[in-house]
Amino acid sequence: MASRSPLRVGYVPEHFSTPLHFAVTHFSLACTLVPFPSGTGHMITSLQANEIDIGIGLTEGWVAGLGKTQIDGNNAGYKLVGTYVETPLCWAISTGANRTDVTSVADLKGKKCGVSRIGSGSYIMSFVLADLHSWLPVSLSSPLNTAPFEHIPLQTFEMLRDAVNDGSADFFMWEHFTSKRYYSNGSIKKVGEIYTPWPSWHVVAQPSLLEDRSLLEDFFQKLNLGVKYFEEHHDEAVEYISTRLDYSAEDAKEWLGTVRFAGNVKGVRGEVVRKTVGVLEKAGVLRGLNVDESIGIQRKA
């Protein structure tokens, strides 16, 4: 196994990254933090390219990525090793501020859906949305090639906001509190929301890290301390989120009442992955997944 010192950790630079920040600043977590503002889909390609060792991202993105590589017969480049956030994610559905043709979720059928990347959480959840509203074709013999919307890859949250205002996309889905500031300033408007029916964030690692778990064990220990510090220092969390990230203090405080991080990040529950697979199969995002092969570290509770 190639030497990794320090670990290269991919993360999304949003409010959910606060315990990771505390692990580095207060508990000397030795790692190089690599931001991925475009999200989980980009982290997957970086893991496969050996550009990062660990990723903290959205559950649906990791699971769909694993399913796709198993079907293609390729190496996923990662295994599920940890549980980061226990609570679901609220995906807000947004359109342009002055769009009169999109005023509710009912107007979205067949429209252009902006996504960060193909395979990202924003892409995958559009299929779940379509399934909830019975917009998917009756026959899904080739589900991975069947799209309920025209998907427009736009990389970043800023480009998604611009696209729904200039008409190159009709709507997009992004985390509620990250979107909220832009509703308040009139940049975009909200037309609906959808929750993930699973814990929202998981940790993955390159399989070679499982050969000698000392680096992973240190990572889990320090991240657990970061989570505990976060829970005990909400004022400091609000200050960090509102001054270093793109949120108001009021929104940061409101978010704190909605989120629950895992007390012990190490390990993944097989039943959570199986439930996610079941929903994504029904939505036509994937065609099955060998769950046991996909989890590097199991946990029972």
Side-chain angles (χ1 to χ4, degrees), residues 10-33:
Y11 75 106
V12 181
E14 296 177 355
H15 46 332
F16 286 96
S17 66
T18 308
L20 177 64
H21 166 75
F22 287 161
V24 171
T25 56
H26 294 300
F27 301 102
S28 301
L29 172 60
C31 69
T32 299
L33 294 180

Side-chain angles (χ1 to χ4, degrees), residues 250-272:
E250 292 75 19
D251 287 348
K253 290 175 184 176
E254 185 180 347
W255 170 71
L256 288 173
T258 69
V259 66
R260 186 177 77 255
F261 287 87
N264 182 10
V265 175
K266 180 181 176 179
V268 176
R269 296 186 293 276
E271 65 269 22
V272 169

Side-chain angles (χ1 to χ4, degrees), residues 42-203:
H42 191 184
M43 271 189 272
I44 289 174
T45 60
S46 290
L47 283 157
Q48 293 167 344
N50 192 30
E51 294 169 349
I52 57 173
D53 304 304
I54 290 174
I56 302 176
L58 296 175
T59 305
E60 56 269 25
W62 297 137
V63 171
L66 287 163
K68 184 177 187 304
T69 54
Q70 284 188 9
I71 288 173
D72 295 342
N74 297 327
N75 178 16
Y78 63 92
K79 286 183 180 288
L80 293 155
V81 298
T83 305
Y84 186 53
V85 177
E86 297 281 8
T87 41
L89 189 75
C90 179
W91 286 88
I93 307 167
S94 305
T95 190
N98 299 313
R99 296 285 294 266
T100 58
D101 57 327
V102 181
T103 60
S104 71
V105 172
D107 297 324
L108 303 179
K109 184 178 180 181
K111 289 287 202 290
K112 293 179 291 186
C113 176
V115 299
S116 56
R117 284 178 169 236
I118 301 300
S120 67
S122 56
Y123 170 83
I124 293 161
M125 287 305 295
S126 73
F127 286 84
V128 178
L129 175 71
D131 181 46
L132 285 176
H133 292 275
S134 302
W135 294 339
L136 292 174
V138 174
S139 174
L140 286 173
S141 57
S142 300
L144 295 176
N145 298 318
T146 305
F149 310 104
E150 179 186 354
H151 290 100
I152 312 295
L154 293 162
Q155 304 298 326
T156 67
F157 182 41
E158 180 181 6
M159 293 177 70
L160 287 163
R161 299 195 309 270
D162 290 343
V164 292
N165 281 301
D166 67 25
S168 52
D170 297 312
F171 75 99
F172 69 89
M173 304 168 67
W174 210 257
E175 193 272 334
H176 168 72
F177 285 100
T178 309
S179 307
K180 192 170 182 288
R181 162 172 286 194
Y182 297 92
Y183 301 142
S184 299
N185 69 18
S187 299
I188 53 176
K189 69 179 178 182
K190 184 177 181 179
V191 295
E193 64 186 26
I194 180 175
Y195 283 84
T196 60
W198 45 70
S200 51
W201 294 76
H202 277 78
V203 182

